[in-house]
Amino acid sequence: MYQGKFYRLLHPRPTLVVVSRCPGGRLNLMPASWNTPVSEDPPTVAVAVERSSYTHECLKHHRRATLNVLPLEAADLIYKLGTVSGRDVDKAAQFGVAFEKSEKVDVPRVAGAIAGYEAEVYMEVEVGEVTLFIFKVLHSWAAPGVADQWGYDFKRVNIPLHGAGRAFYGVDPRPRFVKKT
Ligand SMILES: Cc1cc2nc3c(=O)[nH]c(=O)nc-3n(C[C@H](O)[C@H](O)[C@H](O)COP(=O)(O)O)c2cc1C
């Protein structure tokens, strides 16, 4: 029997920062490492969002969001964004986060993000204490030079893989290929 929480065996995980538009129009940011692509057609990405979070309320209020991949160097900011609630503070103002206009949705991207999705809520699944928001990807983007058709160039950028608590990992840029038999 594994002694820790069951989900630790599925970490570290790529972390997204979800930007949502809240009642009153303010933007909120929440890191989410419980995320996954779901289907290719339509293109969907799911994020498990705790029902008690402000992001949950904001996604119920406004159905579009951006899902941002920040560089590993932003791990400290990402952690901080996950330690306070937008109910209590304006996180963008408190942590000096700037935004950039999106192409397809009326919610901006995080300035300095290396990649991300512009998305709208497509389906919701209630599971325990979370709502699994399945987003339809309306537009995906990557900063120039950081990714090709096979994904990120880890010699040039790294992404934040959330371990536990304050621990984040990067990807070792040396690929391990499966040997031909
Ligand atoms: C690295 C990291 C990953 C997290 N992943 C998730 C997640 O996948 N789902 C979730 O509901 N909360 C997650 N959290 C916790 C929320 O980010 C945290 O509860 C946040 O304060 C909610 O903010 P809000 O109330 O403004 O929405 C994570 C926190 C951190 C630091």
Side-chain angles (χ1 to χ4, degrees), residues 28 30-34 48-50 53-55 82 84-86 91 162:
N28 191 39
M30 177 190 114
S33 51
W34 287 16
V49 178
E50 263 194 56
S53 68
Y54 192 44
T55 296
V84 287
S85 177
K91 294 192 216 182
H162 186 219

Side-chain angles (χ1 to χ4, degrees), residues 77-137:
L77 168 67
I78 294 168
Y79 182 76
K80 285 181 186 151
L81 291 171
T83 53
V84 287
S85 177
R87 262 197 200 95
D88 308 318
V89 289
D90 179 341
K91 294 192 216 182
Q94 171 141 344
F95 300 121
V97 177
F99 295 106
E100 277 172 7
K101 203 172 179 320
S102 287
E103 285 192 23
K104 294 275 168 64
V105 297
D106 53 358
V107 178
R109 308 166 177 177
V110 177
I114 56 173
Y117 302 104
E118 299 174 11
E120 69 181 5
V121 176
Y122 178 72
M123 204 180 268
E124 295 170 40
V125 183
E126 302 302 323
V127 188
E129 77 284 8
V130 309
T131 299
L132 187 68
F133 282 96
I134 303 176
F135 291 95
K136 184 170 176 185
V137 174

